Amino acid sequence: MHLAMNISNLLLSLWRGTMDIGPSDNIESWDWAVFRNDDKWQAHGKLVEKSGAFLPGSYDRRPRNIAEKLHSGYKTSEFQLYTFGVGPALLYGVLPELYWNNYCKLVRGFQLMCQHRITSQDLVSAHVLLCNWEREFELIYYQMKEDRLQFVCPCVHQVNHLAKEAILKGPPICYAQWTMERTIGNLGQEIRQPSRPYENLSQEGLRRCKVNALLAAMPELNSPPKGLPSGSVNLGDGFALLRKRDKNPTYPTGAAAGAIRDFLGDGHPLLRIRRWARILLPNGQTARTKWREQLKSPEHLRVSRNVKMKLADQIRFGEVLYFTRLPVEDAWQFLNIAIIQLYSMPDLDLLKISSQTVPSCKLLPDVIVLPIKQITSVIAMIPHQPTLPSGVTEPRFFMVEKPGLDMSNLGVKYEGFEDDDEGEDDDLE
């Protein structure tokens, strides 16, 4: 967690031009210091704050206006969502392309290393991306100049060791300070006597260790997990339908009716349905619906209706209109489905130059029916209006995934990766 904060502070001090300047250096040559202009910095801070409304509540604390709150207790979780989440899209077209491409490599490598489960291929990809970032950082910022040696902080070299340490210790989440600081906070809350606080704290820690050891040996002594809320429906495999729900069934209308009719096929009448507002996913996230979220005022909303799903062996994104259950008369059971408005596939050119950190999509008019269990996670889709590499400027949405969850591999090669199969070899067939 401290690495995320240290790298964020380093990059911001460079982009704002607040880094210490060497005796023979000239800040006017810092073409990366785009936020020396206070008006640009204040406008950027407002964009960061505005993007927070589109980050689901499961993403922890949303980043505040970084231009106003940078030195007022900006949390590490806010830095992580800013620097390694919304930053690449918000800085596209703001940072010069050379520095932006370098920054995107850092972000993608860090995103892969923050996963709770890391595949061997992700480790290789993250290691190459982070090594490339560190080497390029020294060439384009530090430039091997003695007066810029302060640019190369320890955190710059630390990222190179993340993949190697993961092989020995497991994912960084296993030894990051998030868990330790949460434990310290929990133990502090259990202290009830103001006298001798450190002695009380040590006793609370000792008691917790004893309880944990006992439960590890005899798990049957542990209290059963809390059940689902009243009125919910357990769908199995970690999925559950959660209320609110229509009191009375009604016939679906509009594009949703056509999608349900196509899903059921010929010979099946369109039946009345009850709409459901939420579902619980196996990863602990709660997916919501446009049906209910559009009733809330924007200032009280954390948009949680956009989801990542598996559709025809592809990773796709969509906006959930509502959930429902279709009765199947022949089998005496329900089909649990989501009515979803699809986003387009990400722009491939922007996806490639950003090292997959800016999947930029358009919201399509297409509405589909999807079995609920094909939904994998809740994502953020944040509106922006970029000028694409093709030269087109149009309103779009960029996708941000929750740190720690499995990152989407959208099938685009990272810059710097060589294809070992290229070329010809007479000894191969």
Side-chain angles (χ1 to χ4, degrees):
M1 61 181 289
H2 295 110
L3 180 60
M5 182 171 62
N6 292 338
I7 292 178
S8 300
N9 282 324
L10 170 63
L11 294 176
L12 287 173
S13 65
L14 289 169
W15 298 337
R16 296 180 64 213
T18 57
M19 176 69 76
D20 294 338
I21 305 173
S24 62
D25 202 358
N26 182 6
I27 195 172
E28 299 300 329
S29 66
W30 293 11
D31 56 338
W32 60 78
V34 293
F35 291 132
R36 286 182 62 201
N37 183 312
D38 189 62
D39 290 338
K40 286 186 177 180
W41 177 235
Q42 295 297 329
H44 181 71
K46 292 178 181 178
L47 286 177
V48 174
E49 184 176 35
K50 185 178 179 181
S51 68
F54 299 92
L55 295 171
S58 60
Y59 280 43
D60 205 352
R61 182 169 185 163
R62 60 185 176 185
R64 293 167 289 171
N65 185 327
I66 196 168
E68 295 178 353
K69 303 295 184 181
L70 179 60
H71 302 296
S72 303
Y74 215 68
K75 303 295 184 182
T76 304
S77 58
E78 295 177 88
F79 274 123
Q80 185 164 8
L81 281 174
Y82 166 70
T83 306
F84 303 103
V86 301
L90 298 185
L91 292 170
Y92 176 61
V94 177
L95 274 179
E97 186 175 358
L98 176 65
Y99 305 100
W100 183 77
N101 287 337
N102 173 253
Y103 166 55
C104 288
K105 292 177 183 178
L106 167 69
V107 172
R108 187 57 181 177
F110 207 87
Q111 288 175 346
L112 294 174
M113 292 307 304
C114 285
Q115 296 176 109
H116 291 190
R117 298 179 300 176
I118 308 177
T119 65
S120 58
Q121 182 57 53
D122 283 344
L123 275 179
V124 172
S125 299
H127 185 62
V128 173
L129 286 165
L130 295 175
C131 287
N132 284 343
W133 169 77
E134 192 254 355
R135 177 60 177 165
E136 291 177 4
F137 180 90
E138 294 185 354
L139 292 176
I140 63 179
Y141 288 100
Y142 166 44
Q143 298 177 4
M144 310 305 172
K145 296 181 179 179
E146 183 179 350
D147 276 353
R148 294 182 179 177
L149 190 60
Q150 70 274 16
F151 290 7
V152 189
C153 299
C155 61
V156 174
H157 293 297
Q158 185 179 349
V159 296
N160 278 352
H161 300 281
L162 289 177
K164 297 177 182 178
E165 291 299 315
I167 296 174
L168 300 175
K169 301 177 182 177
I173 190 63
C174 297
Y175 51 88
Q177 289 297 307
W178 302 104
T179 305
M180 180 60 71
E181 294 201 4
R182 174 61 62 86
T183 300
I184 292 172
N186 289 342
L187 290 173
Q189 292 172 352
E190 294 177 3
I191 297 177
R192 295 292 182 265
Q193 295 181 354
S195 62
R196 298 183 295 180
Y198 294 107
E199 183 177 346
N200 291 334
L201 183 62
S202 63
Q203 289 300 317
E204 288 291 348
L206 178 61
R207 184 174 66 88
R208 183 173 294 187
C209 289
K210 290 179 178 178
V211 171
N212 288 343
L214 183 61
L215 293 178
M218 305 178 67
E220 64 271 13
L221 296 179
N222 198 4
S223 57
K226 185 178 179 181
L228 294 170
S230 175
S232 60
V233 177
N234 189 345
L235 306 180
D237 300 324
F239 292 86
L241 280 166
L242 306 176
R243 293 195 178 187
K244 295 184 175 180
R245 185 191 72 173
D246 281 329
K247 286 185 178 180
N248 302 308
T250 58
Y251 287 106
T253 58
I260 294 175
R261 189 178 290 109
D262 293 340
F263 178 76
L264 292 174
D266 297 334
H268 291 83
L270 193 62
L271 303 175
R272 291 187 297 175
I273 60 171
R274 282 190 172 96
R275 294 172 295 180
W276 289 73
R278 302 177 296 152
I279 62 166
L280 178 67
L281 299 177
N283 62 14
Q285 290 182 298
T286 299
R288 302 176 186 272
T289 61
K290 184 178 180 180
W291 165 48
R292 298 303 302 177
E293 285 196 336
Q294 64 185 357
L295 302 178
K296 295 183 179 180
S297 58
E299 59 269 18
H300 297 119
L301 183 61
R302 297 284 298 273
V303 178
S304 303
R305 60 178 179 262
N306 295 297
V307 296
K308 180 173 72 173
M309 56 195 171
K310 297 176 183 177
L311 183 63
D313 296 326
Q314 286 185 318
I315 295 175
R316 295 295 301 268
F317 314 129
E319 180 184 53
V320 179
L321 303 183
Y322 57 83
F323 304 103
T324 190
R325 312 187 77 193
L326 296 178
V328 181
E329 297 180 358
D330 297 340
W332 292 91
Q333 62 181 8
F334 288 98
L335 292 175
N336 303 296
I337 61 170
I339 310 300
I340 294 178
Q341 186 172 355
L342 287 175
Y343 287 96
S344 69
M345 295 296 291
D347 182 83
L348 289 179
D349 294 331
L350 182 56
L351 195 65
K352 183 176 182 180
I353 64 174
S354 69
S355 300
Q356 297 197 36
T357 60
V358 188
S360 182
C361 311
K362 293 190 295 185
L363 186 60
L364 303 174
D366 305 342
V367 175
I368 65 166
V369 171
L370 184 81
I372 283 176
K373 292 187 178 182
Q374 290 181 223
I375 296 174
T376 57
S377 64
V378 177
I379 58 173
M381 297 297 291
I382 303 174
H384 70 149
Q385 189 164 336
T387 298
L388 300 174
S390 61
V392 176
T393 302
E394 60 184 0
R396 301 176 74 90
F397 296 83
F398 68 91
M399 187 272 291
V400 177
E401 297 186 82
K402 180 183 178 181
L405 297 185
D406 294 342
M407 292 290 110
S408 303
N409 186 342
L410 299 173
V412 174
K413 284 188 176 182
Y414 302 114
E415 183 180 343
F417 281 69
E418 300 294 337
D419 190 344
D420 295 335
D421 292 334
E422 289 183 356
E424 297 181 359
D425 193 324
D426 294 336
D427 294 332
L428 299 178
E429 63 177 5

